[in-house]
Structure formats: structure tokens, C-alpha cells
Amino acid sequence: MKRDDATRFRSFLEGFRWQDVDRLAYKEEGSAPFKAITRQELFADPDMACELRYFEMEPGGYSTLERHEHVHAVMILRGRGHCLVGREVRLVKPYDLVTIPAMTWHQFRAAPDEALGFLCMVNAARDRPQLPSEEDLRELESDARVAAFLDGSPTA
Amino acid sequence: MKRDDATRFRSFLEGFRWQDVDRLAYKEEGSAPFKAITRQELFADPDMACELRYFEMEPGGYSTLERHEHVHAVMILRGRGHCLVGREVRLVKPYDLVTIPAMTWHQFRAAPDEALGFLCMVNAARDRPQLPSEEDLRELESDARVAAFLDGSPTA
């Protein structure tokens, strides 16, 4: 969308909301597994080649385990949780940076007792995410740390 | 740069630094007016169409007053200061969003007693900034609020 003068400045509001930014469903319900996560599109300007979104999970919430050709550039903004990238599981905290390379399985999970919010920069033109097959899941779960993460009990 | 496994996760460090991210000069000295400002390139991946940079001004520091065809998408990350976009001067605080449209004069200034740090998303392919002519400056300064901002005494 083009921004007129009034929307060149958009204030940060309580509860990690922003002026003139809607809090949206993460994805269409039933389209993929996820839990207690919302999406806010902070910048999606037709003159920019990328978008910047803010995702937030409630305590215990998680994003979809998926992969795609496009790259994600993530900065954690609030809270605490764990992140899976490939077979690496890491504890993440505010301002940490996470790069998700092409075709790499990834998922974010908020801590059981704390929300997790992060910025995600992504190309405006991008492919659709792929979900893991049963075989992909078995392969991922063959790694004990990955299995613990997917089970909601990360040990990192 | 491509990231190997080790650099998929880059931790936030004290003093608004990041693991494996250099703190760079804002611009070449003498190329344009600016004061007490540094640049850190957080994401600059050849597979992404945008870059995400972190700029930080010491108390009293400022970025260059300039304009260009490309758009800036800014999120304030720390501190307090003022921002000029066109003829609008605004006080900015953490997590506020600023959109800088094409060919619009803009500048950031940290408060006299506090640093100001912000994220800036920008197209990887972009034009060079233009500096104001004497006539541009006179026109900008004809607005009392803009003049006060440029003088380092914003009243917003």
C-alpha cells in the first residue's frame, strides 16, 4: 500500500501492536499445523522488494514446521523460546538474528511460560512453503535434540 | 554473503552489537554531512532482494539530510530522537515505524542526552542519495519547525 503523510509515522502501541497495523491470523486455519500465533504486516510497500512482518506466539505457541526456496531473515523482538533451523536447535532471546536458508526445515516455539515475538524479512515474490512428509518427520526425529524440540521439550 | 551453519544464529551482544557483524563507518568521511553515527549490516544475503541494517547515533548525532528514489522502511530500536520526513518532524521511540517515500528529504537526530538506534530495510538494488542544494535548504528552512529540527533544536 502507498502511505500518505499520516501513515509515514506509525506509533508503537501497548501489547506489541502498531498504529494502523492489523493483527492477522498467522495462516488460514487447517492449512497447516501451528498454535497460538499471530501476524502483523509492518511494511509491505509495492516499491520495496521485501516485506517486514512481526509474528508473535503466546506461551507454548509455535509456527508451522516448513521449508521453502525463499530465505527468511529473522530478528527476535520479545520474549524467549527455541528455534529449529535444519537440525540445529537454539534458545533465542531479544535481538538475536536467525538466517533460514533455502529449503531448510524450520520452526519457532515460544517458551511454556513466555511469549515469543520476532521480525521476519522476506522477499515479496516468493514460493509457497512445503510441509514435511511422514518420511521427512521420521528423519528429523531420528535426531534426539530435534525430536525433543518437535515434542515441545527442547533441551538446548 | 552465504551463511554456513555457524552463522545461521548470531547472538545479540552487549552495547547493541551482534556476533559476526562489524560496526562500520556510516559513510565515507567528507562525502556528506553527518555526526556520530555507525552502521551494522545485519542481513545482506544475495538471495534476498533487500538488506536490513542497524544505524546508531550517539547523543546529539545525526544522519545525512538526503533524498533518493528508493524507499526506506525504518523501525526504531533504542533510545529517543527526532525524525524529519518531508516537512514532518516527529519524536520517535523504540519500535515506532517510519516510512520514507521516494524523493523525500529525511534525517534522523538523536536526543542531546540519549542515543538513537534504528533498523532500516532497503532494496538491495538502489540509487545513490542526493544532497540538498542551497535552494533546497532555504526552502526547507522556510518552515519554522523544519528549521528548528535542522538546527538541532526540534520542537516536536
Side-chain angles (χ1 to χ4, degrees):
Chain A
M1 60 219 112
K2 288 277 183 187
R3 303 210 174 281
D4 63 13
D5 281 19
T7 55
R8 288 178 183 178
F9 298 90
R10 288 170 295 153
S11 293
F12 180 66
L13 308 174
E14 277 195 44
F16 271 78
R17 299 293 310 271
W18 286 267
Q19 184 187 351
D20 299 324
V21 177
D22 292 327
R23 185 155 56 191
L24 305 169
Y26 170 62
K27 295 181 177 180
E28 194 182 338
E29 281 293 335
S31 63
F34 59 86
K35 183 179 171 189
I37 173 167
T38 58
R39 173 171 57 98
Q40 296 183 67
E41 297 183 353
L42 304 183
F43 293 102
D45 187 308
D47 291 332
M48 300 205 79
C50 287
E51 298 171 2
L52 191 68
R53 299 92 45 87
Y54 174 72
F55 294 95
E56 188 173 298
M57 283 147 282
E58 295 171 24
Y62 51 83
S63 65
T64 300
L65 173 64
E66 61 186 30
R67 67 179 181 184
H68 35 66
E69 286 291 346
H70 62 275
V71 173
H72 279 170
V74 167
M75 174 185 277
I76 307 300
L77 217 54
R78 80 175 294 192
R80 194 168 44 84
H82 284 81
C83 173
L84 170 73
V85 181
R87 284 162 178 265
E88 277 287 313
V89 176
R90 292 283 185 103
L91 179 70
V92 288
K93 60 181 196 318
Y95 309 120
D96 282 352
L97 306 176
V98 184
T99 302
I100 297 162
M103 292 307 281
T104 304
W105 297 113
H106 59 281
Q107 186 175 46
F108 288 85
R109 287 179 174 266
D113 55 351
E114 199 167 340
L116 178 66
F118 62 86
L119 296 173
C120 178
M121 181 172 79
V122 71
N123 285 349
R126 57 187 182 269
D127 62 320
R128 291 182 70 86
Q130 302 174 9
L131 298 178
S133 66
E134 288 295 322
E135 193 182 333
D136 293 326
L137 276 177
R138 271 197 303 274
E139 195 180 307
L140 282 163
E141 287 166 352
S142 69
D143 183 312
R145 287 190 67 218
V146 176
F149 170 88
L150 294 175
D151 191 41
S153 318
T155 54
Chain B
M1 60 217 116
K2 288 279 184 184
R3 301 211 175 280
D4 63 13
D5 280 20
T7 55
R8 290 178 180 178
F9 298 90
R10 288 171 295 152
S11 292
F12 180 65
L13 308 174
E14 277 196 41
F16 270 79
R17 298 294 311 272
W18 285 267
Q19 185 188 351
D20 299 323
V21 177
D22 291 328
R23 186 154 56 191
L24 305 169
Y26 170 62
K27 295 183 178 179
E28 194 182 338
E29 281 294 335
S31 63
F34 60 85
K35 183 180 171 188
I37 172 168
T38 57
R39 173 171 58 96
Q40 295 182 69
E41 297 184 352
L42 304 183
F43 292 101
D45 186 308
D47 291 332
M48 300 204 79
C50 286
E51 297 171 3
L52 190 68
R53 299 93 45 88
Y54 174 72
F55 294 95
E56 188 173 298
M57 282 147 281
E58 296 172 23
Y62 51 83
S63 64
T64 300
L65 173 64
E66 62 185 31
R67 67 179 182 185
H68 34 65
E69 287 291 344
H70 61 274
V71 174
H72 279 169
V74 167
M75 174 185 277
I76 307 300
L77 217 53
R78 80 176 293 193
R80 191 168 45 85
H82 284 82
C83 173
L84 170 73
V85 181
R87 286 164 177 263
E88 279 285 316
V89 176
R90 293 284 184 100
L91 179 70
V92 287
K93 59 179 197 318
Y95 308 121
D96 283 351
L97 306 176
V98 184
T99 303
I100 297 163
M103 292 309 281
T104 304
W105 297 114
H106 59 281
Q107 187 175 44
F108 288 85
R109 285 180 176 266
D113 56 350
E114 198 168 339
L116 177 67
F118 61 87
L119 296 174
C120 179
M121 181 173 78
V122 71
N123 285 350
R126 57 186 183 271
D127 62 320
R128 290 182 70 85
Q130 302 174 9
L131 298 177
S133 66
E134 287 295 321
E135 193 182 331
D136 292 328
L137 276 177
R138 273 197 302 275
E139 194 179 307
L140 282 164
E141 287 166 351
S142 69
D143 183 312
R145 287 190 65 217
V146 176
F149 171 87
L150 294 174
D151 192 40
S153 317
T155 55

